Amino acid sequence: EPEVTQTPSHQVTQMGQEVILRCVPISNHLYFYWYRQILGQKVEFLVSFYNNEISEKSEIFDDQFSVERPDGSNFTLKIRSTKLEDSAMYFCASKAEYSIPETQYFGPGTRLLVL
Amino acid sequence: GIQVEQSPPDLILQEGANSTLRCNFSDSVNNLQWFHQNPWGQLINLFYIPSGTKQNGRLSATTVATERYSLLYISSSQTTDSGVYFCAAGEYGNKLVFGAGTILRVKS
């Protein structure tokens, strides 16, 4: 069964450094999402991406964050200058266009620790 | 925007017991999903169920869209069922809004 993959599974970085989290969505999917979960809290939406542009973003997704689909298979989340509070699990998800069911498929997550 | 509330926040069961988890949502939705977060933090998709009833082994789910709630039933619970169960709801193509989750502990 096709699945969403994410790399790396874990990343440790120093405050102020740039990080890029990578996702490979399911191949025929056209809607892409990033969510994050701070330890012990609920999963929060960051950004959705469709037709090569951001379709919606949350208040969390400020100028330090960016997303890109650099080629036909990858979807990346960049944090330009990490802060301690960016430490979280980051999930990528994808969905097919005009799909029934309307299921979003989640990757296994990248656990980011900012020191 | 959509709001999602889950109850109970915590649940402790003896192995073999049955349980019901509830999810209330504030608006009509096109998407409602139940997830199990395992000890490694992965979100395992259990059901896509914006309406109706589905069953998968010992798990089943029912969503009554007109009354804006969904129920997840776990029968004959096992220790491997432990973890956090999340309900998430959304409109077509849009973000999922997650509830705060139910922490389930199954004791042997």
Side-chain angles (χ1 to χ4, degrees):
Chain A
E1 182 176 313
E3 56 184 25
V4 177
T5 60
Q6 292 185 240
T7 55
S9 57
H10 295 77
Q11 180 150 3
V12 180
T13 190
Q14 295 292 322
M15 188 170 56
Q17 294 296 304
E18 174 183 286
V19 296
I20 297 176
L21 310 183
R22 292 182 167 80
C23 169
V24 179
I26 295 173
S27 64
N28 63 341
H29 285 188
L30 296 178
Y31 287 87
F32 312 115
Y33 309 85
W34 283 102
Y35 296 82
R36 79 171 187 190
Q37 183 184 31
I38 295 171
L39 187 64
Q41 298 186 20
K42 63 178 168 181
V43 179
E44 303 172 287
F45 167 76
L46 289 178
V47 65
S48 58
F49 192 86
Y50 171 71
N51 201 24
N52 287 320
E53 62 182 21
I54 290 174
S55 49
E56 187 179 1
K57 59 184 180 180
S58 71
E59 293 179 353
I60 303 167
F61 194 88
D62 61 21
D63 292 344
Q64 294 299 313
F65 291 89
S66 62
V67 289
E68 190 177 35
R69 188 155 165 79
D71 53 44
S73 60
N74 290 284
F75 180 52
T76 62
L77 174 69
K78 181 192 291 186
I79 309 175
R80 187 176 310 130
S81 177
T82 50
K83 307 182 184 72
L84 297 177
E85 55 264 37
D86 293 328
S87 295
M89 179 79 103
Y90 288 81
F91 293 102
C92 172
S94 70
K95 188 187 82 69
E97 188 174 32
Y98 307 129
S99 66
I100 296 175
E102 170 78 6
T103 308
Q104 289 187 23
Y105 294 87
F106 280 69
T110 292
R111 195 176 297 276
L112 176 66
L113 178 60
V114 182
L115 301 177
Chain B
I2 296 170
Q3 296 181 19
V4 178
E5 294 183 354
Q6 291 186 243
S7 60
D10 289 277
L11 187 58
I12 301 174
L13 297 177
Q14 200 64 36
E15 198 169 27
N18 303 328
S19 63
T20 301
L21 282 57
R22 186 177 178 103
C23 171
N24 293 330
F25 46 95
S26 60
D27 295 301
S28 60
V29 297
N30 296 101
N31 186 358
L32 190 132
Q33 293 180 235
W34 282 97
F35 297 89
H36 175 217
Q37 187 163 42
N38 65 21
W40 297 271
Q42 296 174 337
L43 289 171
I44 309 301
N45 189 48
L46 298 176
F47 293 103
Y48 164 81
I49 187 163
S51 64
T53 297
K54 289 185 178 178
Q55 180 155 7
N56 184 3
R58 295 181 297 103
L59 302 182
S60 64
T62 294
T63 298
V64 182
T66 53
E67 297 186 24
R68 297 181 183 165
Y69 73 88
S70 183
L71 302 174
L72 178 69
Y73 305 96
I74 304 173
S75 64
S76 303
S77 58
Q78 301 174 357
T79 55
T80 51
D81 295 331
S82 296
V84 186
Y85 289 81
F86 287 104
C87 166
E91 298 172 345
Y92 178 81
N94 291 344
K95 66 186 180 190
L96 284 175
V97 176
F98 281 73
T102 292
I103 301 172
L104 175 65
R105 297 181 182 89
V106 181
K107 299 166 64 175
S108 58

